[in-house]
Amino acid sequence: MEADQALLDELHHVYLFEELDDEQLTRVLRNSQRVSLPAKSLLFEAGQPADRFYLVHQGQIKLFSLSIDGDEKVMEILYPGNTFAEAIMFMQAKRYPVSAQALGDTVLYSFDMKGFRQILEESQQTCFRLMAGMSRRLHARINEISNLTLHNATYRLVVFLLEQIPEDAIELAEIHLSTPKSVIASRLSIQPETFSRILTRLSAAGLIEVKGNDISLLDVPGLRDLL
Amino acid sequence: MEADQALLDELHHVYLFEELDDEQLTRVLRNSQRVSLPAKSLLFEAGQPADRFYLVHQGQIKLFSLSIDGDEKVMEILYPGNTFAEAIMFMQAKRYPVSAQALGDTVLYSFDMKGFRQILEESQQTCFRLMAGMSRRLHARINEISNLTLHNATYRLVVFLLEQIPEDAIELAEIHLSTPKSVIASRLSIQPETFSRILTRLSAAGLIEVKGNDISLLDVPGLRDLL
């Protein structure tokens, strides 16, 4: 495949390619293909020999498996910028463990596993760079999950707090909730640790005050602004 | 350090160690230490030579950097089961890029970077296993983020929809919102793609009906149950 600048820019954002040098990237691209899949078409089935991995360029890919009863279990939905089946490249087994289907009309880039693996086998330095990149990305994702969980839980807690007071309350400076904190946390499906972190943050922002099991709402408009 | 069974069980859940064989794990543990840090104590400062990486056993570690003005920027908070500073091991630079401080009383395990790196340099197979594990974990995290984002956004959308009707509405079977969907999505900070996915799911569950820009609430108690 010819490498245009747009494709190269796209690849630089993908963890597998970001650490390759120009010569390595040229080799990878020589054995790559652009694949257009109409909606609902099957790309591969579970159990088929795996020799290529993929990058979604446009559209969506569903990875799924079928139970003995024919029930479908969706494992993952992949969007533009996501790669899939590349983990197989690092393993002994060389068969696709799941099936892949295009959801809408989808465009993929497909890459040769053997060629990519060979680049890694030839250069330990490239392996280490790839591991560094993956390690950094894992940390970034864990961070993102932690923030999303906190954000989610904060939202639920603030909605709960505001539900306890009249809808038009604005002037009201202080209300006490005597529900035990552990009961609120459990009702809102918030982990105790996360719950404590949220109370600390809201208190530090002057929005609430916590005394034992009592929570006072000090700044109702401020709490509403969080939603 | 002596390896007790509890520690071995803990290490098996950490991506860096899960692919090591017994002999490799024994080597790693021989050069590991248990470190107890009182609350607020500094573990290392940005710029110090990096020769060890860490696993949080109890407590929390804050990674942060200081601006020229002395302002603190928190990069990451690490909880039990999280590793940190291990990405440095795969890089050329061998200095900690940030500072690390214990938030509460904290217990860590510390590991020798050089020894761990040597294990990887001796065995390409171990490198490939580690890359496979990291690749799988990256996919799992991306999946988790996608689910959390969807969950978050669904919650916000349902709250918005219910805000449009009287608080005691239960019998009410159908209400039309004529606000353009793009306006609702933007007001709720939901990406257009995610917004479409949520509408599709809620429609499939019989909770709403979407006709062009109109959204009908077909099942108000069902929507409330989502919160």
Side-chain angles (χ1 to χ4, degrees):
Chain A
M1 193 168 62
E2 280 296 315
D4 58 13
Q5 192 55 45
L7 174 59
L8 286 176
D9 290 347
E10 199 173 327
L11 294 185
H12 273 299
H13 292 101
V14 176
Y15 78 93
L16 283 172
F17 306 115
E18 69 177 352
E19 306 295 345
L20 299 187
D21 63 31
D22 291 347
E23 185 259 328
Q24 291 170 326
L25 205 51
T26 309
R27 276 172 66 187
V28 168
L29 286 172
R30 210 178 294 140
N31 292 312
S32 67
Q33 288 161 15
R34 189 185 162 101
V35 183
S36 291
L37 291 173
K40 302 201 175 169
S41 55
L42 210 60
L43 178 64
F44 55 72
E45 278 185 276
Q48 279 184 359
D51 52 3
R52 301 189 77 78
F53 66 96
Y54 299 88
L55 168 67
V56 183
H57 175 62
Q58 278 170 20
Q60 291 169 30
I61 289 286
K62 176 178 73 178
L63 299 185
F64 66 99
S65 59
L66 294 176
S67 71
I68 301 169
D69 307 328
D71 290 334
E72 184 182 293
K73 183 166 160 47
V74 176
M75 315 301 287
E76 207 171 346
I77 306 280
L78 298 142
Y79 299 95
N82 293 158
T83 49
F84 60 100
E86 80 277 19
I88 302 169
M89 186 159 62
F90 305 119
M91 301 176 196
Q92 295 299 318
K94 290 281 176 284
R95 289 180 182 276
Y96 295 114
V98 294
S99 304
Q101 185 185 27
L103 283 180
D105 291 342
T106 298
V107 180
L108 305 173
Y109 293 107
S110 106
F111 303 93
D112 177 42
M113 282 189 189
K114 215 162 127 189
F116 193 90
R117 202 180 146 107
Q118 204 167 348
I119 288 172
L120 295 181
E121 280 167 355
E122 283 168 16
S123 164
Q124 198 171 53
Q125 213 189 354
T126 308
C127 287
F128 274 86
R129 281 207 304 267
L130 184 53
M131 286 190 273
M134 287 202 265
S135 179
R136 274 195 306 263
R137 276 167 190 267
L138 268 173
H139 275 270
R141 297 289 168 270
I142 290 169
N143 228 349
E144 201 175 333
I145 288 169
S146 162
N147 286 336
L148 277 168
T149 307
L150 193 66
H151 181 81
N152 229 345
T154 303
Y155 192 94
R156 293 204 298 275
L157 175 58
V158 170
V159 166
F160 169 85
L161 292 176
L162 293 174
E163 272 171 7
Q164 311 304 310
I165 59 170
E167 208 174 333
D168 52 0
I170 291 179
E171 297 299 319
L172 210 53
E174 198 162 330
I175 288 174
H176 285 278
L177 294 177
S178 54
T179 317
K181 285 182 293 183
S182 57
V183 175
I184 303 179
S186 155
R187 189 181 137 180
L188 300 173
S189 311
I190 302 177
Q191 295 296 318
E193 278 179 16
T194 308
F195 196 75
S196 303
R197 286 162 68 196
I198 296 169
L199 291 184
T200 306
R201 282 187 178 206
L202 295 178
S203 302
L207 297 169
I208 62 170
E209 189 177 30
V210 181
K211 282 184 192 156
N213 272 328
D214 280 344
I215 302 178
S216 307
L217 311 193
L218 301 179
D219 179 358
V220 172
L223 286 169
R224 285 200 208 286
D225 282 347
L226 291 182
L227 302 184
Chain B
M1 193 168 60
E2 282 296 313
D4 58 13
Q5 193 54 47
L7 173 59
L8 287 176
D9 290 347
E10 199 173 326
L11 294 186
H12 273 299
H13 291 101
V14 176
Y15 77 92
L16 283 171
F17 305 115
E18 69 176 354
E19 306 295 346
L20 298 186
D21 62 31
D22 290 347
E23 186 259 330
Q24 290 169 326
L25 205 51
T26 309
R27 277 172 64 186
V28 167
L29 286 172
R30 208 177 297 139
N31 292 312
S32 67
Q33 287 160 15
R34 188 184 163 100
V35 183
S36 290
L37 291 173
K40 303 203 175 168
S41 55
L42 211 60
L43 178 64
F44 54 72
E45 279 185 273
Q48 279 184 359
D51 52 3
R52 302 190 76 79
F53 66 95
Y54 299 88
L55 168 68
V56 182
H57 175 62
Q58 277 170 21
Q60 292 169 30
I61 289 286
K62 176 178 73 178
L63 298 185
F64 66 99
S65 58
L66 294 175
S67 71
I68 300 169
D69 307 329
D71 290 333
E72 184 182 293
K73 183 168 160 46
V74 177
M75 315 302 286
E76 208 170 345
I77 306 280
L78 298 142
Y79 299 94
N82 293 159
T83 50
F84 60 100
E86 80 277 19
I88 302 169
M89 186 160 61
F90 305 119
M91 302 177 195
Q92 294 300 319
K94 290 282 176 285
R95 287 179 183 275
Y96 296 114
V98 294
S99 304
Q101 185 185 25
L103 282 180
D105 290 343
T106 298
V107 180
L108 305 172
Y109 293 108
S110 106
F111 302 93
D112 176 41
M113 282 189 188
K114 215 163 128 187
F116 193 91
R117 201 180 146 108
Q118 203 167 350
I119 288 172
L120 296 180
E121 280 166 356
E122 284 168 15
S123 165
Q124 197 170 54
Q125 213 188 355
T126 307
C127 288
F128 275 88
R129 281 207 304 269
L130 184 53
M131 286 191 273
M134 287 202 266
S135 179
R136 275 196 306 264
R137 276 167 191 266
L138 268 173
H139 276 269
R141 297 288 168 271
I142 290 169
N143 229 349
E144 201 175 332
I145 289 168
S146 162
N147 286 336
L148 278 168
T149 307
L150 193 66
H151 181 81
N152 229 346
T154 303
Y155 192 94
R156 292 204 298 274
L157 175 57
V158 170
V159 167
F160 170 84
L161 292 175
L162 293 174
E163 272 172 6
Q164 311 305 310
I165 59 169
E167 208 174 332
D168 52 359
I170 291 177
E171 297 298 320
L172 210 54
E174 198 162 330
I175 287 174
H176 286 279
L177 295 177
S178 53
T179 317
K181 285 181 293 183
S182 57
V183 174
I184 302 178
S186 155
R187 188 180 138 180
L188 300 173
S189 312
I190 301 177
Q191 295 297 318
E193 278 178 15
T194 307
F195 195 76
S196 303
R197 285 162 69 196
I198 296 169
L199 291 184
T200 306
R201 282 186 178 206
L202 296 178
S203 302
L207 296 169
I208 62 169
E209 189 177 32
V210 181
K211 282 184 190 154
N213 272 328
D214 280 343
I215 302 177
S216 307
L217 311 194
L218 301 179
D219 178 358
V220 171
L223 286 169
R224 285 200 210 284
D225 282 347
L226 291 182
L227 300 184

